[in-house]
């Protein structure tokens, strides 16, 4: 097998699989090597929509890096699950398949921060059409007045199959009624650039089978694309300041004639950068790693959407049929909260953030309903129905870190998201949980309510005591090698190039200048597509060819 390629992409997750595939399908047919730490993930059970949670989270599952945070001492010492997908598809092979694209104002803000219109909504909305193949039909016609995405706003020619599921839970309409009774608007299509209101995203599940970045982009690998599985990369190889290839943990050296692109995700990418000598001198020297380029922003600025849960236990409505056997999409809504905007914590934010949050499509928090009762350690009786909802904070201001604890690449980095260390985040979660409790007290539920689970009451203190001991990550980690205008404030420029070196880019969620106010897989796919456009233009590879999938894959181990 060849050991020299034009481009080497490290990591076959959402961004990496898209990028490698699109590059390989350019008219100039460059040779592309996609190197993935995990396996091929093509067993049928891995692709089932319903079993994903059990399969990927089981101890020792090869699909998962099984990361945990450092103890969050300010949050009752919680050690929070920080899973990442491993193998072809990356985290898209273990995620919950929710597809949401977020606010158009977020993308416009990104474009403005980095000074590049590629990231503006006017471009991104077209990029999303290359990605998605959406069936806008819904399985429950009684919900047509509430969920109603218009086909002309979406695409049926992209690689990734998206649907609204085959069947919905029978009580799905109640939460919409509760939201309306609480004064919120219903949003028939949260994926049209404005997510505000109660609605429902689509899912990347079609006919019961999960679509991953691998099934959508790597099912047809042309001869100029090599996919190498079970090959964790240890570091980038440099000749002076020029990246010339990568070295795997088992010592193989793979040469890149043009560029190395890191797409290991927001935890592993900063780890690889540091192991390669890019980071702060102090940290690198303390582990005897020679500094290639000092860049203070590597592995700092980690951002994520943490969430907490509240629920109500209702008398079971025996007239309703049991739920569908497979996981169905569940309602989710994004809300602006006047109580957040008027808070003293909001007034202290940088003016840029305040201005952004005033824009029409930017939410303060998200609700996702039908969460598991186990999130509140509750087991409903046969005569009971549980209505749970998680509240995710948007625009988080707490900034975490990814730090090396060893120069050994097989040892996980220390990950400290510092959740809720910023007073604004605390305020958003308190106000958000209070709002969820209000919605769960709406007339549609109140006559059947047996008990409430969560805070003792809706005071600030009671909510804070609850959320401190009941916090989870939505696994949207981002921003650890952020994009910006200079090496002092960022790690990559708007062409994804790592500052201070040549031939090295980062194209994954690490580069987000702020965590986007949405579930993040769509953002990672968008970055893979935009990254391919940038490279194709710079190396005159011809226009990226956009076409769906076919033919089986060919994977290879050196
Ligand atoms: C449990 C869970 C549930 C989620 N649910 C949703 C959801 O419902 N909706 C949604 O929108 N988002 C969801 N997400 C988030 C979403 O999946 C991620 O944001 C997205 O996949 C990130 O894309 P990425 O390309 O940055 O990284 P990843 O998809 O994580 O890909 C990184 C890839 O790099 C590989 N890699 C890492 N290090 C190395 C190395 N040293 N050498 C070689 N390869 C390496 C990894 O194995 C992996 O394949 C979820 C995530 C998780 C973990």
């Amino acid at each position: 097998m060849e050991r020299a390629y034009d481009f080497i992409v490290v990591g076959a997750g959402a961004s990496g699989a898209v990028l490698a595939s699109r590059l390989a399908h350019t008219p100039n047919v460059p040779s592309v090597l996609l190197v993935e730490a995990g396996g091929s993930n093509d067993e049928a059970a891995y692709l089932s929509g319903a079993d994903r949670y059990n399969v990927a989270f089981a101890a020792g599952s090869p699909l998962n890096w099984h990361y945990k945070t450092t103890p969050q001492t300010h949050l009752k010492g919680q050690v929070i699950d920080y899973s990442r997908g491993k193998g072809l598809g990356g985290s898209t092979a273990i995620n919950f398949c929710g597809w949401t694209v977020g606010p158009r104002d977020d993308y416009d803000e990104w474009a403005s921060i980095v000074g590049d219109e590629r990231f503006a909504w006017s471009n991104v909305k077209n990029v999303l059409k290359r990605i998605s193949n959406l069936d806008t039909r819904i399985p429950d016609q009684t919900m047509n007045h509430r969920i109603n995405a218009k086909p002309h706003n979406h695409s049926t020619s992209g690689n990734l199959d998206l649907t609204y599921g085959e069947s919905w839970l029978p009580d799905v309409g109640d939460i919409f009624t509760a939201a309306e009774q609480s004064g919120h608007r219903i949003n028939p299509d949260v994926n049209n650039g404005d997510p505000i209101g109660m609605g429902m995203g689509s899912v990347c599940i079609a006919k019961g089978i999960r679509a991953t970045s691998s099934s959508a982009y790597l099912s047809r690998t042309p001869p100029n694309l090599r996919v190498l599985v079970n090959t964790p990369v240890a570091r980038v190889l440099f000749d002076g300041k020029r990246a010339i290839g990568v070295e795997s943990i088992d010592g193989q050296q793979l040469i890149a004639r043009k560029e190395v692109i890191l797409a290991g995700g927001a935890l592993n990418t900063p780890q690889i950068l540091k192991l390669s000598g890019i980071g702060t001198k102090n940290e690198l020297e303390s582990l005897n790693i020679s500094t290639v380029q000092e860049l203070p922003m590597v592995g700092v600025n980690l951002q994520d959407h943490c969430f907490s849960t509240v629920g109500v236990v209702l008398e079971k409505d025996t007239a309703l049929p049991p739920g569908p056997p497979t996981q169905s999409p569940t309602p989710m809504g994004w809300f602006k909260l006047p109580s957040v905007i008027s808070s003293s914590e909001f007034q202290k934010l940088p003016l840029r953030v305040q201005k952004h949050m005033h824009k029409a499509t930017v939410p303060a928090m998200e609700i996702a309903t039908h969460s598991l009762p186990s999130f509140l350690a509750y087991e409903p009786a046969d005569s009971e129905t549980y209505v749970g909802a998680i509240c995710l904070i948007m625009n988080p201001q707490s900034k975490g870190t990814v730090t090396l604890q060893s120069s050994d690449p097989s040892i996980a980095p220390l990950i400290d998201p510092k959740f809720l260390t910023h007073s604004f985040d605390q305020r958003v979660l308190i106000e958000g949980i209070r709002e969820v409790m209000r919605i769960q007290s709406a007339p549609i539920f109140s006559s059947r309510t047996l008990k409430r689970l969560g805070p003792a009451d809706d005071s600030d203190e009671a909510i804070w005591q609850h959320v401190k001991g009941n916090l989870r990550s939505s696994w949207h980690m981002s921003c650890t090698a952020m994009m910006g205008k200079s090496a002092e404030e960022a790690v990559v420029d708007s062409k994804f190039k790592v500052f201070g070196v040549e031939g090295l880019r980062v194209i994954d969620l690490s580069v987000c200048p702020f965590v986007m106010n949405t579930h993040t897989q769509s953002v990672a796919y968008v970055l893979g597509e935009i990254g391919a456009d940038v490279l194709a233009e710079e190396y005159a590879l011809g226009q990226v060819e956009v076409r769906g999938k076919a033919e089986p894959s060919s994977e290879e181990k050196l």
Side-chain angles (χ1 to χ4, degrees):
M1 178 180 162
E2 275 291 322
R3 281 171 194 266
Y5 299 84
D6 291 328
F7 298 100
I8 295 181
V9 179
V10 178
S15 300
V18 174
L19 171 69
S21 168
R22 291 298 195 216
L23 275 181
H25 284 101
T26 50
N28 254 18
V29 285
S31 59
V32 180
L33 177 67
L34 177 59
V35 194
E36 166 55 43
S40 53
N41 285 358
D42 52 6
E43 288 86 340
Y46 293 178
L47 291 175
S48 124
D51 289 349
R52 56 190 175 265
Y53 194 88
N54 298 333
V55 174
F57 284 72
S61 164
L63 281 76
N64 196 335
W65 289 83
H66 298 286
Y67 289 150
K68 305 272 180 225
T69 67
T70 55
Q72 301 292 284
T73 44
H74 55 295
L75 299 172
K76 302 187 178 167
Q78 289 181 84
V79 171
I80 294 172
D81 184 275
Y82 234 39
S83 288
R84 304 297 298 159
K86 191 177 195 178
L88 296 188
S91 298
T92 71
I94 70 165
N95 70 15
F96 296 101
C97 296
W99 183 263
T100 63
V101 307
R104 59 172 181 263
D105 286 312
D106 271 9
Y107 279 106
D108 288 342
E109 178 72 355
W110 183 331
S112 158
I113 289 172
V114 303
D116 191 328
E117 285 301 300
R118 277 187 206 272
F119 300 94
W121 177 250
S122 53
N123 181 47
V124 169
K125 71 178 182 204
N126 294 325
V127 171
L128 284 164
K129 289 186 175 167
R130 277 155 53 170
I131 298 167
S132 56
N133 168 26
L134 174 66
D135 183 344
T136 54
R137 289 172 301 173
I138 62 170
D140 179 350
Q141 295 314 311
T142 65
M143 289 285 289
N144 250 328
H145 61 302
R146 286 169 161 163
I147 306 298
N148 197 348
K150 302 287 180 218
H152 64 263
N153 288 326
H154 297 274
S155 154
T156 52
S157 58
N159 289 52
L160 187 70
D161 295 337
L162 298 170
T163 68
Y164 281 94
E166 284 168 51
S167 49
W168 285 353
L169 295 163
D171 65 345
V172 110
D174 289 357
I175 196 77
F176 285 83
T177 305
E180 276 172 328
Q181 289 174 341
S182 309
H184 293 292
R185 80 170 168 108
I186 305 301
N187 186 340
D189 183 4
V190 293
N191 282 341
N192 199 19
D194 177 4
I196 304 296
M198 196 69 216
M200 192 184 282
S202 49
V203 285
C204 46
I205 305 176
K207 300 195 178 88
I209 304 290
R210 142 198 304 267
T212 70
S213 63
S214 171
S215 67
Y217 282 79
L218 299 177
S219 59
R220 178 189 58 189
T221 47
N224 59 320
L225 170 58
R226 285 287 166 98
V227 181
L228 194 58
V229 293
N230 298 314
T231 309
V233 164
R235 60 185 64 80
V236 179
L237 299 169
F238 281 94
D239 177 7
K241 296 248 180 193
R242 173 152 201 100
I244 53 163
V246 297
E247 183 174 54
S248 64
I249 286 189
D250 62 8
Q252 300 168 59
Q253 298 206 336
L254 301 156
I255 302 304
R257 286 185 285 259
K258 291 187 165 66
E259 297 227 9
V260 173
I261 301 114
L262 299 182
L267 304 181
N268 291 46
T269 285
Q271 181 192 23
I272 300 170
L273 283 170
K274 289 181 182 191
L275 289 168
S276 311
I278 300 178
T280 51
K281 233 182 189 145
N282 281 352
E283 187 183 353
L284 302 180
E285 277 176 0
S286 70
L287 293 167
N288 292 323
I289 299 171
S290 312
T291 304
V292 172
Q293 176 65 36
E294 187 153 25
L295 278 184
M297 293 304 283
V298 176
V300 299
N301 200 40
L302 170 63
Q303 295 178 30
D304 188 7
H305 300 129
C306 59
F307 69 82
S308 190
T309 311
V310 280
V312 283
V313 178
L314 308 178
E315 261 171 58
K316 190 173 244 163
D317 180 349
T318 47
L320 285 179
T326 54
Q327 175 87 15
S328 48
T330 53
M332 43 181 62
W334 285 262
F335 301 106
K336 293 181 95 63
L337 292 176
S339 55
V340 165
I341 300 291
S342 61
S343 69
S344 59
E345 292 87 353
F346 177 83
Q347 309 300 330
K348 288 183 204 141
L349 291 179
L351 279 179
R352 177 157 205 149
V353 180
Q354 289 190 35
K355 213 172 140 203
H356 184 57
M357 283 194 63
H358 277 297
K359 291 175 193 157
T361 67
V362 181
M365 65 101 160
E366 178 194 340
I367 296 177
T369 68
H370 294 80
S371 56
L372 299 170
S374 58
F375 279 11
L376 290 167
Y378 191 74
E379 185 65 48
D382 286 347
S383 57
E384 294 173 345
T385 303
Y386 170 76
V387 179
I390 63 174
C391 171
L392 298 88
I393 65 168
M394 298 286 110
N395 311 283
Q397 300 298 308
S398 306
K399 310 273 157 70
T401 53
V402 179
T403 320
L404 293 184
Q405 51 181 339
S406 166
S407 58
D408 178 347
S410 56
I411 294 181
L414 281 177
I415 305 157
D416 181 3
K418 302 190 200 304
F419 280 136
L420 300 183
T421 48
H422 196 290
S423 60
F424 173 74
D425 297 354
Q426 296 172 15
R427 173 55 50 206
V428 175
L429 196 52
I430 289 170
E431 299 300 338
I433 288 286
R434 189 156 33 230
E435 188 56 26
V436 181
M437 292 169 79
R438 200 171 73 82
I439 293 171
Q440 288 178 341
S441 309
I444 177 99
F445 297 130
S446 54
S447 64
R448 287 163 55 213
T449 297
L450 299 172
K451 68 182 108 164
R452 308 191 147 277
L453 303 176
D457 57 54
D458 72 352
S459 66
D460 279 19
E461 183 49 32
I463 296 174
W464 179 238
Q465 280 311 318
H466 169 68
V467 303
K468 261 171 82 168
N470 182 284
L471 200 81
R472 288 184 168 76
S473 159
S474 54
W475 303 282
H476 293 168
M477 34 303 240
S478 304
C479 311
T480 49
M482 66 185 274
M483 187 179 280
K485 289 184 175 161
S486 76
E488 286 70 44
E489 63 177 29
V491 176
V492 300
D493 67 14
S494 70
K495 304 278 188 294
F496 304 93
K497 285 182 180 165
V498 176
F499 285 113
V501 296
E502 285 168 42
L504 182 62
R505 300 191 204 224
V506 173
I507 301 184
D508 63 23
L509 283 193
S510 314
V511 306
C512 298
F514 55 92
V515 59
M516 302 292 274
N517 290 307
T518 188
H519 295 256
T520 44
Q521 67 169 332
S522 62
V523 184
Y525 278 85
V526 164
L527 289 172
E529 294 277 359
I530 294 182
D533 288 344
V534 168
L535 282 161
E537 195 176 299
E538 206 166 307
Y539 286 95
L541 302 175
Q543 191 157 9
V544 169
E545 188 187 331
V546 179
R547 55 181 176 177
K549 50 202 181 302
E551 297 169 29
S553 64
S554 70
E555 285 123 29
E556 196 166 341
K557 172 96 177 81
L558 272 180

